[in-house]
Amino acid sequence: MSVAARSLAVLSLIGSVLVGAGPAVADNKIGGGAQTPAPSGETSGGVDGSTLNSQVGVIVYDRSKNGAGSSVGPVASATTWTPPACWYAPKYSPDQLKAHLEPIWAAESTGYEWDAQQRDRYVEGHPYTDFNKDKADDGYWWDSYVNKDFPPGWDKCKEPYFWVDRDDPPPADIQNAVTPRILGELAYNEIRVPTTKVNLAPADTTKVNLATWAWLDGAEFKPVSVTASIPVLGISATTTAEPVSLKIDPGTADAVTYPASGVCRISGGGIGEPYAKGKAERTPPCGVKYLRSSGDGSYQLRATVTWEIHWTGSDGDGGPLPDGTFGAPQDVVVQEIQAVNR
């Protein structure tokens, strides 16, 4: 095969992998194109004979119970674990796979040897015959999908198209073939949680050696969840994130935190305790005390919330996923206490 032909073959294969990519959107066309689902997270569609119509979602995300608003953001895994960068799911009916491959073979861009191997596999019975058209009502051709952010490992799903009967599980030896667990892990990517700008007293500007109270309102601080499903397979998983603690980083070593670890646990639906008149002499259950002025600038206090995350699948399986964190900085001006000499 010539260098040019090999290059075209590689591009063709990459295009085949990327055509169904979509980590943060629902892929609503078997065999290509990614579409954002309706804001409600609902989709429609169905199966017409052996052909999947263009409205059915390969993976559909219901975000109706997710965090909403301009201040929300994605959680980041507190460990080195990350959701799958690529996975396998239904993509083609027999007619659709034929329509996808035959023009590639006709163009001879991938070379005679490659084309012959492909025809032998999908047409001539080793192991498939005529793209499995005789089983058109019984299952689907599966292929890889890719997280469009292209994280490390996005190019690891290299299995050729394979057939799965409608009521059968995918082959056990194919890693990341979609299951409820995989859906639960992919839904992790879709979790959005509220900002962690904490209430401070004194607000924005405090004094050296003065205890500053910090808290988060429980009314806005509640569990969120996302459900991922594949309608044509009848499987789904719901991934839920629940806030458990707030860690305060004062933005300088010249400070002490309350408690000393800087980690404030959730209690009564909120974190910390709102300041009120009469509490000035008390030690805040959650807060910070600065030991040095910020001068003409400010310190960048960072409040990071830890979220416990777990998933539940339509098959009854489920369990924990790594904790997620989400933090935001805020400016705190620290002034010296002015003494008046008489």
Side-chain angles (χ1 to χ4, degrees), residues 259-282:
S261 64
V263 177
C264 309
R265 303 296 298 181
I266 188 168
S267 177
I271 291 180
E273 181 182 324
Y275 178 78
K277 187 176 180 179
K279 295 182 178 180
E281 301 302 318
R282 289 174 48 188

Side-chain angles (χ1 to χ4, degrees), residues 109-130:
S109 59
T110 51
Y112 173 80
E113 182 178 350
W114 174 265
D115 294 348
Q117 291 174 353
Q118 293 286 292
R119 288 191 182 94
D120 188 58
R121 174 177 172 82
Y122 297 109
V123 180
E124 297 172 8
H126 302 101
Y128 307 110
T129 300
D130 196 19

Side-chain angles (χ1 to χ4, degrees), residues 63-81:
R63 303 178 181 87
S64 60
K65 296 180 181 178
N66 205 8
S70 59
S71 65
V72 300
V75 293
S77 173
T79 71
T80 57
W81 176 89

Side-chain angles (χ1 to χ4, degrees), residues 97-109:
L97 183 60
K98 178 180 180 180
H100 174 66
L101 288 179
E102 285 194 333
I104 298 174
W105 300 340
E108 298 182 346
S109 59

